[in-house]
Short mmCIF file of all heavy atoms in Angstrom, two decimals:
data_model
loop_
_atom_site.label_atom_id
_atom_site.label_comp_id
_atom_site.label_asym_id
_atom_site.label_seq_id
_atom_site.Cartn_x
_atom_site.Cartn_y
_atom_site.Cartn_z
N ILE A 1 65.82 -37.45 -77.31
CA ILE A 1 66.46 -36.14 -77.43
C ILE A 1 66.01 -35.44 -78.70
O ILE A 1 65.65 -34.25 -78.69
CB ILE A 1 67.99 -36.28 -77.38
CG1 ILE A 1 68.44 -36.62 -75.95
CG2 ILE A 1 68.68 -35.01 -77.87
CD1 ILE A 1 69.91 -36.96 -75.82
N VAL A 2 66.00 -36.16 -79.82
CA VAL A 2 65.60 -35.57 -81.09
C VAL A 2 64.09 -35.28 -81.11
O VAL A 2 63.65 -34.22 -81.57
CB VAL A 2 66.00 -36.48 -82.27
CG1 VAL A 2 65.43 -35.98 -83.58
CG2 VAL A 2 67.53 -36.57 -82.35
N ALA A 3 63.30 -36.21 -80.59
CA ALA A 3 61.85 -36.01 -80.55
C ALA A 3 61.47 -34.83 -79.67
O ALA A 3 60.45 -34.16 -79.91
CB ALA A 3 61.17 -37.28 -80.05
N ALA A 4 62.28 -34.53 -78.66
CA ALA A 4 62.03 -33.38 -77.77
C ALA A 4 62.53 -32.07 -78.36
O ALA A 4 62.44 -31.03 -77.71
CB ALA A 4 62.71 -33.63 -76.42
N ASP A 5 63.03 -32.11 -79.60
CA ASP A 5 63.57 -30.92 -80.29
C ASP A 5 64.77 -30.33 -79.55
O ASP A 5 65.02 -29.12 -79.64
CB ASP A 5 62.49 -29.86 -80.50
CG ASP A 5 61.41 -30.30 -81.47
OD1 ASP A 5 61.76 -30.94 -82.48
OD2 ASP A 5 60.23 -30.01 -81.22
N LEU A 6 65.50 -31.18 -78.87
CA LEU A 6 66.73 -30.74 -78.21
C LEU A 6 67.91 -30.81 -79.16
O LEU A 6 68.99 -30.28 -78.86
CB LEU A 6 66.99 -31.58 -76.97
CG LEU A 6 65.88 -31.58 -75.91
CD1 LEU A 6 66.27 -32.43 -74.72
CD2 LEU A 6 65.55 -30.15 -75.47
N ALA A 7 67.72 -31.48 -80.30
CA ALA A 7 68.76 -31.58 -81.34
C ALA A 7 68.11 -32.07 -82.62
O ALA A 7 67.07 -32.74 -82.59
CB ALA A 7 69.87 -32.52 -80.91
N GLU A 8 68.72 -31.74 -83.75
CA GLU A 8 68.25 -32.24 -85.05
C GLU A 8 68.73 -33.66 -85.30
O GLU A 8 68.09 -34.43 -86.01
CB GLU A 8 68.75 -31.32 -86.18
CG GLU A 8 68.12 -29.94 -86.20
CD GLU A 8 66.66 -30.00 -86.59
OE1 GLU A 8 66.34 -30.68 -87.58
OE2 GLU A 8 65.84 -29.36 -85.90
N ARG A 9 69.86 -33.98 -84.71
CA ARG A 9 70.45 -35.31 -84.83
C ARG A 9 71.27 -35.56 -83.58
O ARG A 9 71.82 -34.64 -82.98
CB ARG A 9 71.28 -35.45 -86.11
CG ARG A 9 72.41 -34.46 -86.20
CD ARG A 9 72.82 -34.13 -87.64
NE ARG A 9 73.34 -35.26 -88.36
CZ ARG A 9 72.67 -35.90 -89.34
NH1 ARG A 9 71.47 -35.51 -89.67
NH2 ARG A 9 73.22 -36.90 -89.98
N CYS A 10 71.36 -36.81 -83.19
CA CYS A 10 72.03 -37.12 -81.92
C CYS A 10 72.60 -38.53 -81.96
O CYS A 10 71.92 -39.46 -82.39
CB CYS A 10 71.03 -36.99 -80.76
SG CYS A 10 71.75 -37.37 -79.14
N GLU A 11 73.82 -38.66 -81.50
CA GLU A 11 74.46 -39.96 -81.32
C GLU A 11 74.89 -40.10 -79.87
O GLU A 11 75.48 -39.18 -79.30
CB GLU A 11 75.67 -40.09 -82.25
CG GLU A 11 76.31 -41.48 -82.23
CD GLU A 11 77.50 -41.55 -83.17
OE1 GLU A 11 78.56 -40.97 -82.84
OE2 GLU A 11 77.37 -42.17 -84.24
N VAL A 12 74.56 -41.24 -79.27
CA VAL A 12 74.89 -41.50 -77.87
C VAL A 12 75.80 -42.72 -77.81
O VAL A 12 75.53 -43.74 -78.46
CB VAL A 12 73.61 -41.76 -77.05
CG1 VAL A 12 73.97 -42.11 -75.60
CG2 VAL A 12 72.68 -40.54 -77.09
N GLN A 13 76.86 -42.63 -77.02
CA GLN A 13 77.74 -43.77 -76.79
C GLN A 13 77.74 -44.14 -75.31
O GLN A 13 77.81 -43.27 -74.43
CB GLN A 13 79.18 -43.49 -77.21
CG GLN A 13 80.07 -44.73 -77.09
CD GLN A 13 81.55 -44.42 -76.96
OE1 GLN A 13 81.94 -43.51 -76.25
NE2 GLN A 13 82.39 -45.19 -77.66
N LEU A 14 77.62 -45.44 -75.03
CA LEU A 14 77.87 -46.00 -73.70
C LEU A 14 78.99 -47.02 -73.81
O LEU A 14 79.12 -47.69 -74.84
CB LEU A 14 76.61 -46.67 -73.14
CG LEU A 14 75.38 -45.80 -72.90
CD1 LEU A 14 74.19 -46.67 -72.48
CD2 LEU A 14 75.66 -44.74 -71.84
N ALA A 15 79.77 -47.16 -72.76
CA ALA A 15 80.82 -48.19 -72.72
C ALA A 15 80.81 -48.85 -71.35
O ALA A 15 80.51 -48.20 -70.33
CB ALA A 15 82.19 -47.57 -73.00
N TYR A 16 81.12 -50.16 -71.32
CA TYR A 16 81.02 -50.95 -70.10
C TYR A 16 82.26 -51.83 -69.90
O TYR A 16 82.97 -52.16 -70.86
CB TYR A 16 79.79 -51.86 -70.15
CG TYR A 16 78.48 -51.11 -70.11
CD1 TYR A 16 77.91 -50.61 -71.28
CD2 TYR A 16 77.83 -50.87 -68.91
CE1 TYR A 16 76.72 -49.89 -71.25
CE2 TYR A 16 76.63 -50.16 -68.87
CZ TYR A 16 76.08 -49.68 -70.04
OH TYR A 16 74.92 -48.96 -70.01
N SER A 17 82.45 -52.22 -68.64
CA SER A 17 83.43 -53.25 -68.28
C SER A 17 82.68 -54.47 -67.80
O SER A 17 81.65 -54.36 -67.13
CB SER A 17 84.35 -52.73 -67.17
OG SER A 17 85.10 -53.79 -66.60
N ILE A 18 83.18 -55.66 -68.10
CA ILE A 18 82.54 -56.88 -67.65
C ILE A 18 82.47 -56.91 -66.12
O ILE A 18 83.44 -56.54 -65.43
CB ILE A 18 83.27 -58.13 -68.19
CG1 ILE A 18 82.46 -59.40 -67.87
CG2 ILE A 18 84.68 -58.22 -67.67
CD1 ILE A 18 82.97 -60.63 -68.60
N GLY A 19 81.29 -57.28 -65.60
CA GLY A 19 81.11 -57.41 -64.17
C GLY A 19 80.81 -56.12 -63.43
O GLY A 19 80.55 -56.14 -62.23
N VAL A 20 80.85 -54.98 -64.12
CA VAL A 20 80.62 -53.68 -63.49
C VAL A 20 79.29 -53.12 -63.98
O VAL A 20 79.00 -53.14 -65.19
CB VAL A 20 81.76 -52.69 -63.82
CG1 VAL A 20 81.51 -51.33 -63.19
CG2 VAL A 20 83.10 -53.27 -63.36
N ALA A 21 78.48 -52.61 -63.06
CA ALA A 21 77.13 -52.17 -63.42
C ALA A 21 77.12 -50.82 -64.13
O ALA A 21 76.47 -50.67 -65.18
CB ALA A 21 76.25 -52.12 -62.17
N GLU A 22 77.79 -49.85 -63.59
CA GLU A 22 77.73 -48.50 -64.17
C GLU A 22 78.60 -48.42 -65.44
O GLU A 22 79.67 -49.04 -65.50
CB GLU A 22 78.22 -47.46 -63.16
CG GLU A 22 77.35 -47.31 -61.92
CD GLU A 22 76.00 -46.68 -62.22
OE1 GLU A 22 75.86 -46.02 -63.27
OE2 GLU A 22 75.09 -46.85 -61.38
N PRO A 23 78.15 -47.67 -66.43
CA PRO A 23 79.00 -47.51 -67.62
C PRO A 23 80.30 -46.80 -67.28
O PRO A 23 80.34 -45.95 -66.39
CB PRO A 23 78.12 -46.65 -68.56
CG PRO A 23 77.12 -45.99 -67.67
CD PRO A 23 76.88 -46.93 -66.53
N VAL A 24 81.37 -47.16 -67.97
CA VAL A 24 82.66 -46.52 -67.72
C VAL A 24 82.75 -45.18 -68.44
O VAL A 24 83.58 -44.33 -68.07
CB VAL A 24 83.84 -47.43 -68.14
CG1 VAL A 24 83.83 -48.72 -67.33
CG2 VAL A 24 83.81 -47.74 -69.64
N SER A 25 81.91 -44.97 -69.46
CA SER A 25 81.86 -43.66 -70.11
C SER A 25 80.50 -43.46 -70.77
O SER A 25 79.84 -44.41 -71.16
CB SER A 25 82.98 -43.50 -71.14
OG SER A 25 82.75 -44.33 -72.27
N ILE A 26 80.13 -42.18 -70.88
CA ILE A 26 78.88 -41.76 -71.52
C ILE A 26 79.21 -40.56 -72.39
O ILE A 26 79.90 -39.63 -71.93
CB ILE A 26 77.81 -41.35 -70.47
CG1 ILE A 26 77.61 -42.45 -69.44
CG2 ILE A 26 76.50 -40.99 -71.16
CD1 ILE A 26 76.87 -41.98 -68.18
N ASN A 27 78.73 -40.57 -73.62
CA ASN A 27 79.02 -39.45 -74.51
C ASN A 27 77.80 -39.13 -75.36
O ASN A 27 77.13 -40.04 -75.87
CB ASN A 27 80.21 -39.76 -75.42
CG ASN A 27 80.58 -38.57 -76.29
OD1 ASN A 27 80.97 -37.52 -75.79
ND2 ASN A 27 80.46 -38.73 -77.59
N VAL A 28 77.50 -37.86 -75.52
CA VAL A 28 76.43 -37.39 -76.40
C VAL A 28 77.04 -36.46 -77.44
O VAL A 28 77.80 -35.55 -77.10
CB VAL A 28 75.33 -36.65 -75.61
CG1 VAL A 28 74.29 -36.06 -76.57
CG2 VAL A 28 74.65 -37.58 -74.62
N ASP A 29 76.71 -36.68 -78.70
CA ASP A 29 77.18 -35.83 -79.80
C ASP A 29 75.98 -35.40 -80.63
O ASP A 29 75.29 -36.24 -81.22
CB ASP A 29 78.17 -36.61 -80.67
CG ASP A 29 78.85 -35.74 -81.74
OD1 ASP A 29 78.43 -34.58 -81.92
OD2 ASP A 29 79.79 -36.23 -82.39
N THR A 30 75.70 -34.10 -80.65
CA THR A 30 74.57 -33.58 -81.43
C THR A 30 75.03 -32.90 -82.72
O THR A 30 74.24 -32.24 -83.39
CB THR A 30 73.72 -32.60 -80.60
OG1 THR A 30 74.55 -31.51 -80.19
CG2 THR A 30 73.12 -33.29 -79.39
N PHE A 31 76.30 -33.03 -83.05
CA PHE A 31 76.83 -32.55 -84.33
C PHE A 31 76.55 -31.06 -84.55
O PHE A 31 76.27 -30.61 -85.67
CB PHE A 31 76.27 -33.37 -85.49
CG PHE A 31 76.47 -34.85 -85.33
CD1 PHE A 31 75.50 -35.64 -84.71
CD2 PHE A 31 77.65 -35.46 -85.75
CE1 PHE A 31 75.70 -37.00 -84.54
CE2 PHE A 31 77.85 -36.82 -85.58
CZ PHE A 31 76.87 -37.60 -84.97
N GLY A 32 76.58 -30.31 -83.46
CA GLY A 32 76.36 -28.87 -83.56
C GLY A 32 74.91 -28.46 -83.70
O GLY A 32 74.62 -27.27 -83.92
N THR A 33 73.98 -29.39 -83.55
CA THR A 33 72.55 -29.07 -83.72
C THR A 33 71.80 -28.98 -82.40
O THR A 33 70.58 -28.74 -82.39
CB THR A 33 71.85 -30.13 -84.59
OG1 THR A 33 71.76 -31.38 -83.86
CG2 THR A 33 72.60 -30.36 -85.89
N GLY A 34 72.47 -29.17 -81.26
CA GLY A 34 71.79 -29.21 -79.97
C GLY A 34 71.46 -27.83 -79.43
O GLY A 34 72.16 -26.84 -79.71
N VAL A 35 70.39 -27.76 -78.64
CA VAL A 35 70.02 -26.50 -77.99
C VAL A 35 70.85 -26.29 -76.72
O VAL A 35 70.86 -25.19 -76.16
CB VAL A 35 68.51 -26.47 -77.65
CG1 VAL A 35 67.68 -26.61 -78.91
CG2 VAL A 35 68.14 -27.55 -76.64
N LEU A 36 71.50 -27.34 -76.26
CA LEU A 36 72.42 -27.27 -75.13
C LEU A 36 73.78 -27.80 -75.55
O LEU A 36 73.92 -28.45 -76.59
CB LEU A 36 71.90 -28.12 -73.96
CG LEU A 36 70.56 -27.78 -73.33
CD1 LEU A 36 70.22 -28.84 -72.29
CD2 LEU A 36 70.59 -26.41 -72.69
N LYS A 37 74.78 -27.53 -74.74
CA LYS A 37 76.08 -28.14 -74.97
C LYS A 37 75.97 -29.65 -74.79
O LYS A 37 75.19 -30.13 -73.97
CB LYS A 37 77.12 -27.58 -74.01
CG LYS A 37 77.44 -26.11 -74.23
CD LYS A 37 78.48 -25.63 -73.21
CE LYS A 37 78.82 -24.17 -73.43
NZ LYS A 37 79.81 -23.67 -72.43
N ASP A 38 76.76 -30.40 -75.54
CA ASP A 38 76.71 -31.86 -75.44
C ASP A 38 77.03 -32.34 -74.03
O ASP A 38 76.44 -33.32 -73.55
CB ASP A 38 77.70 -32.49 -76.44
CG ASP A 38 77.25 -32.31 -77.89
OD1 ASP A 38 76.07 -31.99 -78.11
OD2 ASP A 38 78.09 -32.49 -78.78
N GLU A 39 77.93 -31.65 -73.33
CA GLU A 39 78.27 -32.06 -71.96
C GLU A 39 77.06 -31.90 -71.03
O GLU A 39 76.86 -32.71 -70.12
CB GLU A 39 79.44 -31.22 -71.42
CG GLU A 39 80.62 -31.12 -72.36
CD GLU A 39 80.51 -29.92 -73.30
OE1 GLU A 39 80.81 -28.79 -72.88
OE2 GLU A 39 80.11 -30.16 -74.46
N GLU A 40 76.27 -30.86 -71.27
CA GLU A 40 75.07 -30.66 -70.45
C GLU A 40 74.04 -31.75 -70.70
O GLU A 40 73.42 -32.26 -69.76
CB GLU A 40 74.48 -29.27 -70.73
CG GLU A 40 75.36 -28.13 -70.28
CD GLU A 40 74.83 -26.77 -70.69
OE1 GLU A 40 74.35 -26.63 -71.85
OE2 GLU A 40 74.87 -25.85 -69.87
N LEU A 41 73.86 -32.12 -71.96
CA LEU A 41 72.94 -33.21 -72.28
C LEU A 41 73.42 -34.52 -71.68
O LEU A 41 72.63 -35.34 -71.20
CB LEU A 41 72.79 -33.36 -73.79
CG LEU A 41 71.79 -32.45 -74.48
CD1 LEU A 41 71.86 -32.62 -76.00
CD2 LEU A 41 70.36 -32.72 -73.99
N THR A 42 74.73 -34.75 -71.68
CA THR A 42 75.30 -35.95 -71.09
C THR A 42 74.94 -36.05 -69.62
O THR A 42 74.60 -37.13 -69.11
CB THR A 42 76.83 -35.97 -71.27
OG1 THR A 42 77.14 -35.94 -72.67
CG2 THR A 42 77.44 -37.22 -70.66
N ASN A 43 75.01 -34.93 -68.90
CA ASN A 43 74.65 -34.92 -67.48
C ASN A 43 73.15 -35.15 -67.28
O ASN A 43 72.74 -35.90 -66.39
CB ASN A 43 75.05 -33.58 -66.85
CG ASN A 43 76.55 -33.42 -66.77
OD1 ASN A 43 77.29 -34.40 -66.65
ND2 ASN A 43 77.02 -32.19 -66.83
N ILE A 44 72.33 -34.55 -68.14
CA ILE A 44 70.88 -34.63 -67.99
C ILE A 44 70.37 -36.05 -68.20
O ILE A 44 69.51 -36.54 -67.47
CB ILE A 44 70.18 -33.63 -68.94
CG1 ILE A 44 70.36 -32.20 -68.40
CG2 ILE A 44 68.70 -33.97 -69.12
CD1 ILE A 44 69.96 -31.13 -69.37
#
């Protein structure tokens, strides 16, 4: 994300449950430096 110049800084969080394949949550935080809303980057 940062190398693509979509943000100056970026933190990504994933969370999981034991035995379950898909993450239970996904979050992107660009600290106000993103070219898109964080929710849009999360979907992308």
Side-chain angles (χ1 to χ4, degrees):
I1 287 172
V2 173
D5 293 320
L6 302 181
E8 291 291 313
R9 58 207 297 108
C10 179
E11 186 179 74
V12 177
Q13 186 203 42
L14 297 174
Y16 293 86
S17 167
I18 188 169
V20 179
E22 295 290 340
V24 299
S25 70
I26 307 164
N27 184 63
V28 175
D29 187 351
T30 60
F31 306 92
T33 70
V35 300
L36 299 175
K37 293 180 180 179
D38 290 344
E39 311 90 80
E40 293 174 318
L41 276 174
T42 300
N43 291 330
I44 286 169

